[in-house]
Amino acid sequence: MNVSLVVFQGPSASGKSTLQALLGLPRIVTWTSRAPRAGELDGVDYHFAPRQTLERMKDAGDMLETSEYRGHLYGTSLASIEGTARGAGLRSIVLDASGARVARALLGERALLLGVAASRAECEARLLARGSDAAQIAARLAGYDEEIAALSGCDLIVRSGDGALERAGEIVQALRPLLGA
Ligand SMILES: Nc1nc2c(ncn2[C@@H]2O[C@H](COP(=O)(O)OP(=O)(O)O)[C@@H](O)[C@H]2O)c(=O)[nH]1
Ligand SMILES: Nc1ncnc2c1ncn2[C@@H]1O[C@H](COP(=O)(O)OP(=O)(O)O)[C@@H](O)[C@H]1O
């Protein structure tokens, strides 16, 4: 069975987006009601929109799935995922555990769930480096244990240890033949 969607899942600042960029597949851009971080671009990192817009899309049946995460609403639009079920080329997406379950239900084995793990201390240091304040870091790490435990639902787990970016890149590149990419 050919993989059509690589789903990155893992705790905050575990390195999901970094590994996704290293893999270099077309990305499905999801929606969020949270504010952009410094350097994040609308339509590139996320579609940034007010919560009401996301709720309207959800009520109109335009969302495949939505998820509440740390006080914000996230969601994958049906339009963005269109074609994936028909095998219109290999793509990637970053989702939490509930979103990953929806991807699995929709695509079965054509979704490859890739868990990204890093230690709590590594995630904390990266959040600090990303400019988060103490309250934001505490909120982000509150779900750490649960998010690590949820990686048991993944097909494969990559450890994104500090200083291991190069190695992570190699691991991700090693996936390419497996994916037919
Ligand atoms: N279910 C679902 N989760 C999403 C979606 N977009 C992003 N996420 C998840 O939302 C969580 C928060 O993402 P973000 O605010 O970018 O924080 P980060 O994980 O600290 O970079 C992460 O676990 C993402 O995987 C989506 O459309 N649906
Ligand atoms: N293996 C790694 N070693 C060191 N720093 C990393 C590693 N992976 C990611 N980072 C850094 O950690 C921060 C969070 O990574 P990111 O990929 O945005 O995490 P996520 O998408 O899981 O929230 C970024 O500043 C990134 O450059």
Side-chain angles (χ1 to χ4, degrees), residues 6-30 34 37 39-41 44-46 48 74 92-96 114-118 123 126-127 130 140 158 160 165 168-169 172:
V6 181
V7 180
F8 289 85
Q9 180 191 326
S12 184
S14 59
K16 302 180 292 293
S17 313
T18 301
L19 288 173
Q20 185 188 34
L22 284 169
L23 188 57
L25 295 176
R27 302 169 54 246
I28 291 175
V29 180
T30 62
R34 80 156 165 76
R37 295 179 188 129
E40 283 186 330
L41 295 175
V44 176
D45 297 286
Y46 277 106
F48 294 98
Y74 293 76
S92 66
I93 192 168
V94 178
L95 295 173
D96 67 7
L114 189 58
V116 184
C123 292
R126 293 175 195 174
L127 284 166
R130 196 155 84 178
R140 281 289 197 244
V158 175
S160 169
L165 258 186
V172 168

